[in-house]
Amino acid sequence: MRKNIVAGNWKMNNDLKATKTLVKQIKKSLKKTKLKNTRVIIAPTFTNLPSAVKRCKKSKIEVAAQNMHQATSGAFTGEISAEMLKSVGVKTVILGHSERRAYFGETDALLAEKVNAALAHKLEVIFCFGEELADRKANKEEAVVESQIKNALFHLEADAFKKIVLAYEPVWAIGTGETASPEQAQDMHAFIRKTLADKYGNGVADSVSILYGGSVKPANASEIFGKPDVDGGLIGGAALKAEDFHAIITAF
Ligand code: PGA
């Protein structure tokens, strides 16, 4: 059975002190919570990863990075490699977030390289993609999503593909307060799963967790997570408040 996942993408928020506080609050909130088939992941900023990893040891929380560079090492000023993430105990990395694509020029081709580098270092990948509002208005959302997945991931063998978690994040719903309706999310997730089945077969398609992201809140989480092809969420704003994050984790 594939896992449900609730992952908090903290983006460029929380200094070291605030990271320690939020980790402590989330840990406390989860103490008496039974997590049925659900993984909880937080993704603090690079500088606070070692602290978060240390504090989440022996807890129900896993720690992910928000990005990484595709090269192993070298003259890439300001960048962080997969090896560096591994060396501080990180096991998962988010790649392809729409903010990385929009503000840092990350393309499908570059993301394919990052995915390869992450998998080569045995990092699990949460791969983000999603259409923009103009794509949806032009009824091109499926074509856009399909090409993002194909271009960045379909060179992988089935075994490698199983190490990927997908996160469908319609750009128009990120940080806007506007959410895809549960039906829109389900329709797209079913389309994605069919795209995976066509390429890798039903076994792989059914085993891959597909998360929804974009203004998920305690008020809408259970309806969205209740859809059969939605296996959890990638949460931005609401992941910065322990109470809200906990409410989303327990929304299944
Ligand atoms: P949001 O962000 O929940 O604040 O919309 C989601 C994301 O960017 O992953």
Side-chain angles (χ1 to χ4, degrees), residues 9 11 97 99 169 173-176 213-217 234-238:
N9 173 13
K11 309 191 180 184
H97 190 280
E99 287 148 20
E169 300 205 300
I174 295 178
T176 57
S215 299
V216 177
K217 305 262 177 311
L234 183 57
I235 321 297

Side-chain angles (χ1 to χ4, degrees), residues 155-190:
H155 61 283
L156 297 172
E157 302 289 337
D159 270 352
F161 196 88
K162 287 189 210 153
K163 311 260 159 50
I164 309 276
V165 171
L166 296 179
Y168 167 59
E169 300 205 300
V171 177
W172 48 272
I174 295 178
T176 57
E178 195 169 333
T179 331
S181 69
E183 290 70 32
Q184 283 174 322
Q186 168 56 26
D187 286 351
M188 182 57 89
H189 284 224

Side-chain angles (χ1 to χ4, degrees), residues 131 135-136 138-146 168 188:
E131 83 283 1
D135 302 322
R136 189 161 274 268
N139 289 322
K140 284 193 197 142
E141 66 271 20
E142 289 187 349
V144 168
V145 160
E146 187 176 5
Y168 167 59
M188 182 57 89

